[in-house]
Amino acid sequence: MALSADGRFSLSATGQLRGATGLAAGSRNWRLVKPCNGELMGTKLNTNAKRRNEAGSKLVQKQVCMTLTADIAGESKLRDLEMEKRDARTVAAVILGGGAGTRLYPLTKQRAKPAVPIGGAYRLIDVPMSNCINSGINKVYILTQYNSASLNRHLARAYNYGSGVTFGDGYVEVLAATQTPGEAGKRWFQGTADAVRQFHWLFEDPRNKVIEDVLILSGDHLYRMDYMDFVQNHRQSGADITISCLPMDDSRASDFGLMKINNEGRVLSFSEKPKGKDLKAMAVDTTVLGLSKQEAEEKPYIASMGVYLFKKEILLKLLRWRFPTANDFGSEIIPASANELFLKAYLFNDYWEDIGTIRSFFEANLALTAHPPMFSFYDATKPMYTSRRNLPPSKIDDSKIVDSIISHGSFITSSFIEHSVVGIRSRINANVHLKDTMMLGADFYETDAEVASLLAEGRVPVGIGDNTKIKECIIDKNARIGKNVVIANSEGIQEADRSAEGFYIRSGVTVILKNSVITDGFVI
């Protein structure tokens, strides 16, 4: 805003007051005011002298009455609106962690699926939890049901107020499946939607009165995402439900819920895991979402990530009144809502992996060793959080390590490790060869005296014994593998239950059970 000698005002691009005669300080930002009749910042400006003509004509006094806020306030309101759309205080996240995890069995034999270790030092639940923290979302519920003891323990250690992760006025609460009065209250969670329905009353709690949108997340995905970009897109579009999606090729499309959209990204129809002709019918032009023509030809499907954002009131109405018996979001509520509500697709064209099977878990972990990896836990600006274990650095003696990850607190002696992930507190003895192996580590150390005592008794200590060769294997926590053992699945068996001997074979991957013992000289 500038004030010239003849009393005229002009607005500068920066919204600062600048006078042609130097009335306004050069870079000072002025408060928004409404000057009227020549009054500016409480000072009367005498403009009469300039307004008399030489012939003595009647004084014409211009009254300057304008609103400085016309443009500045407009911009300010836009900024405030943008800030409001990114206000993380008005978002609550619900992480679904209650599934039985049958496809990840036997890793889920004694733990919930989100508690399965990943990347050597983390657990699957750390991924959505870290994404929430990095996005500024501090109101988080985790729904649990099966084998939840280890998950509850991890959450208590990693995300309490003494862990170094602060939630301000927010919270992290575990909501375990429970029974309530009445016939319906005797059931366990029947599905994703039913689980949220059983705790719907929480969203009307006084402390949640500011909540406008509810983010539904899965506890078994690997990705890094700023949820507030997702929220902002949802609010700008005015959608009732927004579904995070990614482009998908033919080979994997039938494993996901697929969407058809119009040119504005509105979801027209939704089909859960279609096959054959139904799959082909779900192909769309994915250039609508910003893909190049070549990418669109390679990935003609739009797959749901299982990440949903609901307006709070819409979610409550759907669960209580519109679909009171629906158990699942992906197969029931979302498809039925596409014809009645405004559903929007949000493109997430970055790394994302569903860690739902033994094979996908195995491959996702080994992919972390690539150069560069498609997903990395090493991002200082958006770190992945986990429990603080206060472990020492790993000690490696006379060993060769190629394309591998070695987690903290491990001991490796005279070994060759290639394309493998070694978890925390792992002990690998002399002349061991690991290739394409995921070793989850251990929950405790055995002292040198305890190890010597076990060996003297002919028993097997925690870790891997001398001269053992292991390939294409997942070694669960606290496993005891003896000397001169060979694990290679040389016959290429795809499925086998050898739990009495301490292992399974799932999708061609040998899985050594947690706390199991593989005796000296054993061959798989």
Side-chain angles (χ1 to χ4, degrees):
M1 192 80 182
L3 178 68
S4 62
D6 61 0
R8 290 179 298 178
F9 289 92
S10 63
L11 183 65
S12 68
T14 61
Q16 296 172 337
L17 288 172
R18 301 183 184 275
T21 58
L23 288 176
S27 61
R28 183 175 176 183
N29 290 316
W30 291 89
R31 177 171 56 88
L32 302 183
V33 294
K34 185 178 179 180
C36 189
N37 298 328
E39 185 174 354
L40 178 65
M41 300 298 181
T43 303
K44 289 284 186 178
L45 302 179
N46 185 1
T47 60
N48 291 342
K50 293 285 183 179
R51 299 184 182 279
R52 297 182 184 273
N53 57 29
E54 295 179 357
S57 61
K58 184 179 180 180
L59 172 67
V60 178
Q61 182 176 13
K62 287 188 178 180
Q63 293 185 339
V64 181
C65 183
M66 66 180 298
T67 303
L68 295 182
T69 57
D71 291 324
I72 301 177
E75 294 177 6
S76 179
K77 286 179 180 177
L78 284 175
R79 286 194 298 270
D80 290 344
L81 191 59
E82 293 303 312
M83 290 292 290
E84 185 177 317
K85 288 177 180 176
R86 291 192 67 89
D87 187 358
R89 296 172 300 176
T90 61
V91 181
V94 178
I95 302 175
L96 303 170
T102 53
R103 296 183 301 158
L104 265 179
Y105 191 86
L107 297 179
T108 52
K109 184 178 180 179
Q110 298 179 27
R111 60 169 74 91
K113 185 162 53 171
V116 172
I118 189 171
Y122 303 90
R123 293 180 185 254
L124 282 171
I125 190 66
D126 293 328
V127 175
M129 282 298 305
S130 298
N131 284 337
C132 284
I133 294 168
N134 293 330
S135 302
I137 297 173
N138 66 352
K139 299 177 179 67
V140 184
Y141 294 109
I142 301 104
L143 298 177
T144 66
Q145 182 163 261
Y146 295 98
N147 282 337
S148 59
S150 63
L151 176 59
N152 293 341
R153 184 167 56 246
H154 176 74
L155 289 169
R157 290 174 177 173
Y159 304 106
N160 61 39
Y161 288 98
S163 65
V165 180
T166 57
F167 291 89
D169 61 347
Y171 48 80
V172 175
E173 292 188 2
V174 176
L175 305 177
T178 185
Q179 293 189 340
T180 56
E183 192 63 31
K186 295 180 181 179
R187 300 178 306 165
W188 297 112
F189 295 154
Q190 302 299 303
T192 55
D194 184 64
V196 177
R197 181 187 294 111
Q198 291 194 30
F199 287 97
H200 67 83
W201 52 270
L202 282 170
F203 299 113
E204 295 180 330
D205 188 275
R207 67 174 177 171
N208 287 332
K209 63 182 179 181
V210 299
I211 299 299
E212 298 176 9
D213 297 286
V214 179
L215 186 61
I216 307 294
L217 306 171
S218 177
D220 60 350
H221 297 162
L222 181 61
Y223 64 112
R224 183 179 275 107
M225 180 178 181
D226 186 341
Y227 294 139
M228 289 314 298
D229 288 343
F230 184 34
V231 171
Q232 185 176 23
N233 181 276
H234 166 77
R235 291 177 175 175
Q236 286 176 336
S237 70
D240 298 312
I241 306 170
T242 301
I243 306 167
S244 187
C245 61
L246 62 162
M248 188 62 62
D249 57 24
D250 285 290
S251 63
R252 301 178 62 195
S254 61
D255 295 332
F256 299 92
L258 302 181
M259 293 171 277
K260 297 203 75 168
I261 61 174
N262 63 13
N263 291 337
E264 287 74 43
R266 180 166 185 161
V267 178
L268 304 177
S269 62
F270 187 98
S271 179
E272 182 73 1
K273 300 180 180 179
K275 312 287 183 186
K277 292 182 180 179
D278 292 335
L279 173 62
K280 296 298 181 184
M282 296 303 294
V284 297
D285 179 9
T286 50
T287 57
V288 171
L289 295 175
L291 272 68
S292 67
K293 188 173 181 180
Q294 181 179 348
E295 285 180 306
E297 290 175 355
E298 295 172 354
K299 299 178 179 180
Y301 299 100
I302 301 173
S304 168
M305 293 168 52
V307 175
Y308 312 118
L309 187 63
F310 289 81
K311 288 181 178 178
K312 183 178 75 172
E313 298 306 320
I314 294 293
L315 176 63
L316 294 178
K317 288 178 181 178
L318 290 173
L319 294 177
R320 288 173 176 169
W321 315 116
R322 186 64 186 88
F323 305 108
T325 60
N327 292 327
D328 191 69
F329 284 116
S331 62
E332 296 177 81
I333 288 182
I334 298 296
S337 298
N339 297 324
E340 303 179 9
L341 299 172
F342 179 11
L343 270 65
K344 179 81 161 45
Y346 173 81
L347 178 66
F348 179 75
N349 196 16
D350 205 339
Y351 179 86
W352 175 89
E353 188 61 54
D354 179 5
I355 313 295
T357 66
I358 288 293
R359 174 55 69 174
S360 64
F361 172 82
F362 180 67
E363 292 178 349
N365 274 281
L366 295 189
L368 297 172
T369 66
H371 301 284
M374 295 182 67
F375 178 87
S376 175
F377 285 97
Y378 308 102
D379 188 333
T381 60
K382 297 177 181 178
M384 286 290 169
Y385 297 90
T386 190
S387 59
R388 299 167 67 179
R389 302 181 180 94
N390 300 319
L391 291 172
S394 292
K395 185 177 181 180
I396 302 171
D397 295 329
D398 190 28
S399 297
K400 182 178 181 180
I401 299 173
V402 178
D403 297 339
S404 297
I405 294 172
I406 310 298
S407 300
H408 39 289
S410 297
F411 296 87
I412 302 173
T413 305
S414 303
S415 297
F416 179 25
I417 300 173
E418 56 178 323
H419 196 229
S420 297
V421 177
V422 176
I424 58 172
R425 302 188 191 92
S426 293
R427 186 180 292 271
I428 301 173
N429 291 308
N431 199 30
V432 169
H433 183 191
L434 293 187
K435 183 177 181 180
D436 302 330
T437 294
M438 172 64 185
M439 188 174 181
L440 303 189
D443 292 319
F444 57 90
Y445 285 119
E446 289 176 334
T447 66
D448 291 340
E450 289 172 329
V451 170
S453 176
L454 288 168
L455 292 174
E457 296 171 7
R459 297 162 63 190
V460 181
V462 171
I464 303 176
D466 297 348
N467 305 312
T468 290
K469 316 298 180 192
I470 301 176
K471 180 182 178 182
E472 289 224 4
C473 183
I474 299 172
I475 305 170
D476 207 340
K477 282 193 170 185
N478 310 329
R480 301 169 184 267
I481 300 176
K483 301 175 182 179
N484 303 305
V485 172
V486 176
I487 302 175
N489 188 17
S490 57
E491 297 179 5
I493 295 171
Q494 290 300 300
E495 302 290 332
D497 179 353
R498 303 280 289 276
S499 53
E501 298 169 278
F503 70 95
Y504 281 79
I505 298 177
R506 300 290 305 274
S507 302
V509 180
T510 305
V511 183
I512 306 300
L513 297 176
K514 184 177 181 179
N515 300 320
S516 64
V517 178
I518 306 296
T519 57
D520 294 352
F522 195 84
V523 176
I524 300 175

